[in-house]
Amino acid sequence: MIKHLIVAISLFFIAALNLSASDNTPSPDDSAQPFKVSYMGNVEAGHTFLWDNFLRNTSGYVTLTTTHGVRITPYLFTGLGIGAWLGYYSGGCSMLLPLFANVRATLPSGKFRPFIDLKGGTLNSLNSFIGPSIGCKFAWGNRAGVYLSFGTNYIINRYHSAFDGLSIKLGFDF
């Protein structure tokens, strides 16, 4: 399972780099000036529906994260982030504070911009995660916009590793 995930992540990075290198024509939203590396950040709120008893489960995660980094090309963003995941279940609740790296490849033209996103980092001293997702951004200007994404998280620890559930996130790029 881990080998398949590593292959998928590697293909993601190769595709993102090839996409950014293959087409240097500016989009209608870009100015006539050449692209410059620039700051970009985002804030996103979401919910994870656990795979166990999917949509009938009374457990899940409510998430709030922020990522800050740079647009390396019009297509590729990378940054570091922090967040808060509030897990709730029948016995109570728990809080996780993820620290992660984030890479996103976006088609940069038009108002609606599809993207693929990958986050990976640590949840606590025992758990790490990799979180792939796909989504679409409604953009205004070169950076700003609101987006909706769907994904999952692969939680890794020494005893048991598995996908946790379906994550739905609403975010704002600035």
Side-chain angles (χ1 to χ4, degrees):
M1 185 66 133
I2 294 289
K3 290 179 185 177
H4 295 286
L5 195 55
I6 290 170
V7 168
I9 292 167
S10 299
L11 291 173
F12 166 79
F13 283 116
I14 290 168
L17 291 174
N18 284 338
L19 180 64
S20 67
S22 66
D23 184 14
N24 291 326
T25 58
S27 70
D29 293 297
D30 293 336
S31 66
Q33 298 178 12
F35 176 79
K36 294 181 184 174
V37 173
S38 61
Y39 167 81
M40 189 170 112
N42 67 49
V43 174
E44 64 183 20
H47 189 275
T48 300
F49 299 93
L50 300 180
W51 291 125
D52 294 336
N53 294 319
F54 186 66
L55 295 180
R56 291 186 304 258
N57 195 337
T58 58
S59 301
Y61 288 99
V62 176
T63 63
L64 180 65
T65 61
T66 184
T67 305
H68 302 274
V70 294
R71 285 179 55 212
I72 298 172
T73 71
Y75 307 97
L76 193 62
F77 163 79
T78 187
L80 298 175
I82 188 168
W85 292 7
L86 177 64
Y88 61 90
Y89 47 93
S90 61
C93 63
S94 63
M95 177 74 77
L96 296 170
L97 301 173
L99 298 170
F100 56 88
N102 185 202
V103 175
R104 184 189 305 169
T106 305
L107 292 178
S109 61
K111 291 288 182 191
F112 292 97
R113 300 176 183 179
F115 65 85
I116 54 176
D117 188 83
L118 182 67
K119 292 178 176 71
T122 182
L123 294 171
N124 56 30
S125 62
L126 298 176
N127 297 311
S128 300
F129 78 100
I130 298 171
S133 63
I134 60 170
C136 190
K137 173 180 172 177
F138 177 74
W140 55 87
N142 289 330
R143 275 188 300 204
V146 63
Y147 62 88
L148 182 65
S149 68
F150 299 90
T152 189
N153 293 305
Y154 188 72
I155 308 297
I156 304 162
N157 68 38
R158 81 161 70 153
Y159 304 110
H160 177 70
S161 298
F163 289 99
D164 63 352
L166 174 65
S167 295
I168 301 172
K169 297 176 184 171
L170 180 65
F172 175 71
D173 285 335
F174 51 89

